[in-house]
């Protein structure tokens, strides 16, 4: 069962006890999707410091995230890249099909130079790393809720330089989202059979993705793929 927190109360899914504020104060409804309960709690406390009226929903898995979005209307979703069941990028794609206008802010342990471009290209409204200071997270949430986008100043500068100089993108940016996910799983040492089971694909399909990854990256075998994924910090 999903749970919601409003005005310090933990409430069952579907029942929202709204705090008493001025009618002119807009109420924000934010869904926190992360598989670590302690982190979700800290995240809610940090965001609540920036808003006087906010209601939170929680989801610990990909399935719970999608169910929450189907069942409730949200002002935004804060989503982790690494979620049980599906990757954050896959969840993002499904969320956009369910609610095309729903803004999604990625909050991830993974460095932004590896994931932010792909996340933004896939429709995310912003990307923040879990190493960010609370003030940066609050600013990211404010911008996204206001209808804008957010990336760190450092990433914005790199993107600007890339545009001005015509710098080539990293090789992994040439991969599709599914190929990128398979590369990451191979980088963690998973076998083709394990990946097929986790992604609900056939072994033949995963092998095809592996072959495409090798062709696009110019690498020769799985061992080189693992070394590449580790060197470029695509795996934990």
């Amino acid at each position: 069962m999903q749970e919601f927190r409003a005005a310090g109360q933990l409430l069952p899914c579907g029942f929202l006890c709204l705090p008493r504020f001025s009618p002119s104060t807009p109420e924000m409804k934010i869904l926190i999707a992360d598989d670590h309960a302690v982190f979700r709690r800290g995240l809610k406390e940090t965001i609540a410091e920036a808003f006087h009226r906010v209601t939170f929903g929680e989801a610990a898995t990909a399935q719970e995230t999608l169910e929450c979005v189907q069942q409730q209307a949200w002002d935004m979703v804060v989503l982790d890249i690494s979620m049980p069941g599906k990757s954050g990028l896959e969840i993002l794609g499904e969320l956009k099909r369910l609610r095309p206008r729903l803004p999604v802010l990625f909050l991830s342990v993974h460095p932004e130079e590896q994931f932010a471009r792909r996340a933004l290209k896939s429709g995310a409204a912003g990307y923040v790393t879990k190493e960010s200071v609370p003030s940066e997270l609050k600013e990211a949430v404010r911008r996204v809720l206001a209808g804008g986008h957010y990336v760190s100043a450092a990433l914005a500068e790199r993107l600007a330089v890339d545009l001005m100089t015509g710098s080539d993108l990293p090789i992994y940016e040439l991969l599709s989202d599914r190929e990128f996910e398979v590369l990451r799983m191979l980088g963690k040492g998973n076998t083709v059979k394990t990946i097929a089971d986790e992604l609900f694909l056939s072994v033949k399909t995963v092998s095809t993705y592996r072959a495409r990854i090798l062709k696009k990256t110019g690498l020769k075998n799985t061992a080189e793929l693992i070394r590449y994924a580790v060197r470029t910090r695509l795996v934990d």
Side-chain angles (χ1 to χ4, degrees):
M1 175 183 291
Q2 290 80 41
E3 296 176 320
F4 298 85
R5 184 178 297 276
Q9 291 182 285
L10 193 62
L11 306 171
C13 182
F15 296 90
L16 301 180
C17 179
L18 301 181
R20 294 181 180 177
F21 291 98
S22 167
S24 63
T25 303
E27 175 205 350
M28 301 296 179
K29 293 178 63 178
I30 301 176
L31 177 63
I32 307 295
D34 190 285
D35 59 332
H36 295 93
V38 173
F39 183 79
R40 291 198 303 271
R41 178 175 179 178
L43 186 57
K44 289 185 294 182
E45 291 176 352
T46 298
I47 295 175
E49 293 173 356
F51 299 95
H52 297 296
R53 190 177 185 183
V54 60
T55 300
F56 294 103
E58 294 185 46
T61 66
Q63 185 60 35
E64 288 183 6
T65 303
L66 296 172
E67 288 177 356
C68 281
V69 170
Q70 288 176 322
Q71 296 169 6
Q72 300 283 334
W74 303 96
D75 290 292
M76 71 176 293
V77 176
V78 180
L79 176 64
D80 191 7
I81 283 280
S82 301
M83 291 284 285
K86 296 182 180 180
S87 74
L89 291 171
E90 288 182 287
I91 297 172
L92 174 64
E94 297 195 32
L95 291 179
K96 287 300 180 181
R97 284 190 287 274
L98 288 170
R99 301 281 190 269
R101 297 181 179 276
L102 177 63
V104 177
L105 172 66
F106 272 117
L107 183 62
S108 175
V109 69
H110 300 291
E112 61 185 4
E113 59 264 27
Q114 272 77 27
F115 286 86
R117 285 188 179 90
R118 182 174 297 273
L120 295 170
K121 184 178 179 181
S122 298
Y127 191 99
V128 181
T129 69
K130 290 184 177 180
E131 295 180 352
S132 302
V133 296
S135 59
E136 183 177 0
L137 172 61
K138 294 173 186 177
E139 178 60 22
V141 172
R142 287 192 189 96
R143 289 196 193 180
V144 171
L145 286 172
H149 291 77
Y150 183 86
V151 295
S152 72
L155 178 61
E157 183 175 354
R158 284 197 296 272
L159 293 175
V161 171
D162 288 347
L163 287 173
M164 289 187 294
T165 62
S167 299
D168 293 333
L169 293 175
I171 294 176
Y172 55 77
E173 292 289 352
L174 301 176
L175 305 178
S176 68
D177 287 344
R178 179 64 84 180
E179 290 165 353
F180 183 71
E181 183 64 14
V182 170
L183 170 60
R184 292 188 63 238
M185 296 180 77
L186 288 169
K188 294 177 181 179
N190 292 298
T191 64
V192 169
K193 177 65 166 59
T194 299
I195 296 172
D197 291 341
E198 290 192 19
L199 298 181
F200 301 101
L201 300 171
S202 69
V203 170
K204 181 178 180 181
T205 298
V206 175
S207 296
T208 298
Y209 282 126
R210 175 184 171 277
R212 291 177 183 172
I213 295 167
L214 290 172
K215 182 177 181 180
K216 289 182 178 181
T217 60
L219 300 174
K220 298 178 180 179
N221 50 48
T222 299
E224 288 191 1
L225 286 177
I226 292 174
R227 287 195 291 270
Y228 175 76
V230 172
R231 186 175 70 252
T232 54
R233 300 174 64 192
L234 294 180
V235 296
D236 301 336

